[in-house]
C-alpha cells in the first residue's frame, strides 16, 4: 500500500494492544475463571457461556474492565447455579480493580515512533471503551504529551470514522488510522476511503476477532517499522 504522506493531516493510533499491552491481562483473568469453574462444566461449555454473556453485555455495558468483570461474575453465578460464594465474587472484583490500575507497559518502538512523528504530523489517540478507564491508561502511559487530540468512543465503525473526519474537516486521504484490530481499526477506515495500517498483536479480544483477508491497507509487524513504511522504504 502506498500512502501519500504529504497529504496526511492527522495520524490516529488505537491504544490497547497497539501502544501498550492490554489483552494479555484480560486473558489471565479469564484463565483464572476457567480454572475456578472447571468443576461446573466442560471447557466447551465454559467457553460457550463466556462468549454468550460477554457478547450480550457489550451491547449494554460497552467495552472495558468494568463490563468485563461484571460479565465474569454473571458467568460464575450462571454456571454455579447461584452457589458461588461472596468471597469468590470478591476475588473477581479485586481482579477487576487491578485491570483498572495496572502498570502500563509500552510496546516496543512506540515512544520512539511517536517522538519522530510528533513534530511532523498532528497525532491522535482514537480508542473505544470506558472514558475514565481509557483516560487513566493514557495518563499512566507517560506518552500523552505526544498527542494533539484524544477521542474515546463507544464503537469504531464506518459511521464513527465518517463523523470524526467531518468534525476535524478532513478528507479521507488526509487521515491515517493505525491499530491492531482489523475489525475496528482497519476495515471500517478502508471502507470509507481513508488510510489504515494494521499492526497485529499476538492475542486479540473475542469481540475483535475476524477472519478477513483483504487489501487496501498497510501492515507492519511492530511499531518501529512505521516510519520506514511512511517513507516508502522496504521493510525487512
Amino acid at each position: 500500500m502506498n500512502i501519500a504522506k504529504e497529504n496526511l493531516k492527522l495520524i490516529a493510533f488505537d491504544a490497547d494492544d497497539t501502544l501498550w499491552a492490554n489483552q494479555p491481562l484480560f486473558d489471565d483473568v479469564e484463565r483464572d475463571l476457567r480454572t475456578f469453574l472447571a468443576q461446573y462444566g466442560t471447557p466447551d461449555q465454559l467457553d460457550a457461556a463466556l462468549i454468550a454473556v460477554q457478547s450480550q453485555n457489550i451491547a449494554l455495558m460497552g467495552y472495558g474492565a468494568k463490563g468485563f468483570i461484571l460479565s465474569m461474575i454473571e458467568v460464575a453465578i450462571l454456571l454455579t447455579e447461584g452457589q458461588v460464594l461472596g468471597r469468590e465474587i470478591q476475588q473477581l472484583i479485586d481482579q477487576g480493580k487491578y485491570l483498572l490500575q495496572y502498570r502500563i507497559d509500552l510496546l516496543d518502538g512506540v515512544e520512539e515512533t511517536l517522538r519522530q512523528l510528533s513534530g511532523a504530523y498532528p497525532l491522535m489517540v482514537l480508542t473505544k471503551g470506558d472514558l475514565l478507564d481509557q483516560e487513566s491508561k493514557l495518563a499512566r502511559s507517560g506518552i500523552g504529551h505526544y498527542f494533539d487530540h484524544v477521542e474515546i468512543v463507544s464503537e469504531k465503525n464506518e459511521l464513527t470514522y465518517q463523523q470524526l473526519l467531518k468534525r476535524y474537516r478532513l478528507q479521507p486521504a488526509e487521515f491515517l488510522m493505525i491499530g491492531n484490530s482489523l475489525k475496528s481499526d482497519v476495515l471500517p477506515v478502508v471502507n470509507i476511503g481513508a488510510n489504515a495500517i494494521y499492526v497485529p498483536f499476538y492475542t486479540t479480544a473475542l469481540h475483535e476477532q475476524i477472519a478477513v483477508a483483504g487489501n487496501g491497507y498497510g501492515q507492519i509487524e511492530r511499531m518501529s517499522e512505521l516510519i520506514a513504511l511512511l517513507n516508502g522504504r522496504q521493510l525487512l
Side-chain angles (χ1 to χ4, degrees):
M1 176 186 181
N2 293 320
I3 298 173
K5 65 176 185 177
E6 63 275 8
N7 293 335
L8 293 180
K9 293 185 178 180
L10 182 61
I11 299 178
F13 291 82
D14 173 53
D16 294 334
D17 302 316
T18 297
L19 300 176
W20 53 72
N22 180 73
Q23 187 57 38
L25 290 93
F26 284 71
D27 291 344
D28 288 344
V29 173
E30 280 198 3
R31 192 175 300 111
D32 290 345
L33 184 69
R34 286 183 172 90
T35 300
F36 162 61
L37 294 175
Q39 61 181 309
Y40 296 101
T42 66
D44 287 344
Q45 289 172 328
L46 294 177
D47 286 345
L50 286 168
I51 291 170
V53 171
Q54 288 187 66
S55 299
Q56 292 173 1
N57 286 346
I58 282 176
L60 181 64
M61 304 174 187
Y63 303 94
K66 297 171 187 175
F68 175 77
I69 290 301
L70 287 174
S71 293
M72 298 300 97
I73 292 172
E74 185 176 346
V75 169
I77 293 171
L78 174 67
L79 292 183
T80 65
E81 297 182 345
Q83 299 304 304
V84 61
L85 300 177
R87 66 173 179 270
E88 293 167 332
I89 291 178
Q90 183 63 57
Q91 290 175 354
L92 291 175
I93 292 173
D94 290 342
Q95 289 178 311
K97 290 180 178 179
Y98 171 70
L99 291 177
L100 290 168
Q101 55 188 338
Y102 66 87
R103 187 187 73 181
I104 299 296
D105 291 324
L106 297 179
L107 297 178
D108 290 344
V110 164
E111 185 159 15
E112 178 58 28
T113 299
L114 294 176
R115 184 181 296 114
Q116 293 185 55
L117 289 175
S118 62
Y121 302 95
L123 303 182
M124 170 186 286
V125 171
L126 176 52
T127 185
K128 64 183 180 182
D130 178 80
L131 176 63
L132 181 60
D133 187 12
Q134 296 301 89
E135 286 181 336
S136 174
K137 281 190 280 191
L138 182 58
R140 300 197 311 273
S141 73
I143 57 174
H145 60 284
Y146 291 113
F147 297 99
D148 303 279
H149 311 284
V150 176
E151 293 280 350
I152 300 171
V153 298
S154 58
E155 189 58 86
K156 288 197 284 192
N157 52 30
E158 292 179 24
L159 179 59
T160 299
Y161 289 109
Q162 289 169 336
Q163 292 174 337
L164 184 140
L165 293 184
K166 182 178 180 180
R167 187 160 61 251
Y168 285 84
R169 300 180 180 180
L170 297 172
Q171 296 300 313
E174 298 172 331
F175 177 74
L176 169 61
M177 181 70 199
I178 300 165
N180 72 295
S181 171
L182 285 171
K183 179 181 178 183
S184 295
D185 303 319
V186 175
L187 297 182
V189 177
V190 171
N191 289 342
I192 66 167
N195 304 290
I197 295 176
Y198 176 45
V199 192
F201 192 62
Y202 73 90
T203 181
T204 304
L206 174 69
H207 54 264
E208 295 295 337
Q209 294 177 8
I210 182 172
V212 173
N215 49 36
Y217 56 87
Q219 179 169 338
I220 55 178
E221 298 307 313
R222 57 191 64 83
M223 193 62 70
S224 58
E225 298 175 346
L226 177 59
I227 301 298
L229 179 63
L230 290 177
N231 288 336
R233 297 198 300 269
Q234 184 176 2
L235 300 179
L236 299 178

